[in-house]
Amino acid sequence: MKEIVSGIFHIPSVSEPLSSDVFIVEGEKRFYVFDVGTGDAAYEAVAGLDKPATVILSHFHQDHTGNMTRLSPAEVLCGARTRKHLGQGTPVENVTEISDGVLIRVQPCVSPHAPGCLIMTVNDACTFLGDLCYARPGTGQGEAKGMYRVLKRMKTEYFIQSHRTEDLLQGKETVLREIKDYFGI
Ligand SMILES: [Zn+2]
């Protein structure tokens, strides 16, 4: 587990078997865990936390949620689609703020990748996107336009996307430009 920004820890994604990145933010009373992955390294990191955990799930895909079958966090925040898939969790329908020594903001965002995605911003500086921006070429342009509008308005410095092997912290403008280019908007 590596500290990528003060108080934010990272367990990298794994490709075989596919497991998403896991990000752990330390608050005063709790840890805030963005996605839980499927692999043992991710499981052990989350299960071993010494404060209660609030888990935020970016979307329902197995590589981001698989370890939920063996974890029992104090709280799970997710989209309605993820709640249906898992049979647990509190659906987040509006911007939800948590102040716990860190400022956590969780909000739904339209996505060309999957229905019911959530994104999480820490201290108005780092926004975790999960797989939000990923889509097969030529698909999802309508959703991408809506997503672009939401992301452009965000108060943040960095966007952090899952499944990247380098340049984890991407500047907001860089990612906005990539979205425009990729989706042709
Ligand atoms: Zn996905």
Side-chain angles (χ1 to χ4, degrees):
M1 191 153 65
K2 194 177 154 204
E3 193 169 21
I4 54 163
V5 173
S6 178
I8 303 183
F9 302 88
H10 178 220
I11 299 106
S13 60
V14 178
S15 49
E16 277 299 323
L18 187 64
S19 181
S20 74
D21 300 65
V22 174
F23 297 96
I24 301 177
V25 181
E26 182 162 19
E28 280 171 9
K29 298 194 188 76
R30 285 197 180 185
F31 284 100
Y32 301 87
V33 179
F34 189 80
D35 285 337
V36 295
T38 53
D40 290 341
Y43 167 73
E44 281 157 22
V46 178
L49 294 172
D50 59 4
K51 286 184 241 187
T54 293
V55 164
I56 298 100
L57 297 169
S58 65
H59 64 300
F60 69 94
H61 289 164
Q62 179 69 13
D63 57 314
H64 295 254
T65 60
N67 275 327
M68 284 303 296
T69 56
R70 48 179 176 165
L71 288 167
S72 37
E75 184 180 27
V76 180
L77 303 179
C78 59
R81 181 74 176 74
T82 308
R83 193 190 183 301
K84 205 171 150 196
H85 178 79
L86 292 179
Q88 63 167 314
T90 305
V92 174
E93 278 149 19
N94 301 296
V95 180
T96 301
E97 281 192 1
I98 303 164
S99 185
D100 181 21
V102 286
L103 177 64
I104 305 279
R105 192 177 295 121
V106 179
Q107 65 189 86
C109 185
V110 60
S111 164
H113 182 75
C117 286
L118 294 185
I119 59 178
M120 177 178 89
T121 301
V122 180
N123 292 334
D124 289 331
C126 294
T127 300
F128 297 90
L129 301 181
D131 293 355
L132 194 78
C133 308
Y134 302 152
R136 286 193 311 278
T139 67
Q141 197 191 46
E143 291 86 354
K145 281 183 183 164
M147 173 182 78
Y148 182 86
R149 278 196 291 273
V150 173
L151 296 184
K152 197 172 165 62
R153 280 201 306 268
M154 305 268 323
K155 190 179 171 201
T156 195
E157 288 172 45
Y158 298 106
F159 285 137
I160 298 163
Q161 308 194 74
S162 259
H163 305 291
R164 287 179 66 86
T165 51
E166 52 188 28
D167 295 333
L168 207 53
L169 276 79
Q170 294 181 284
K172 177 181 173 181
E173 294 307 322
T174 303
V175 173
L176 288 175
R177 205 176 320 116
E178 280 181 7
I179 293 169
K180 270 189 136 171
D181 291 349
Y182 185 82
F183 291 98
I185 55 178

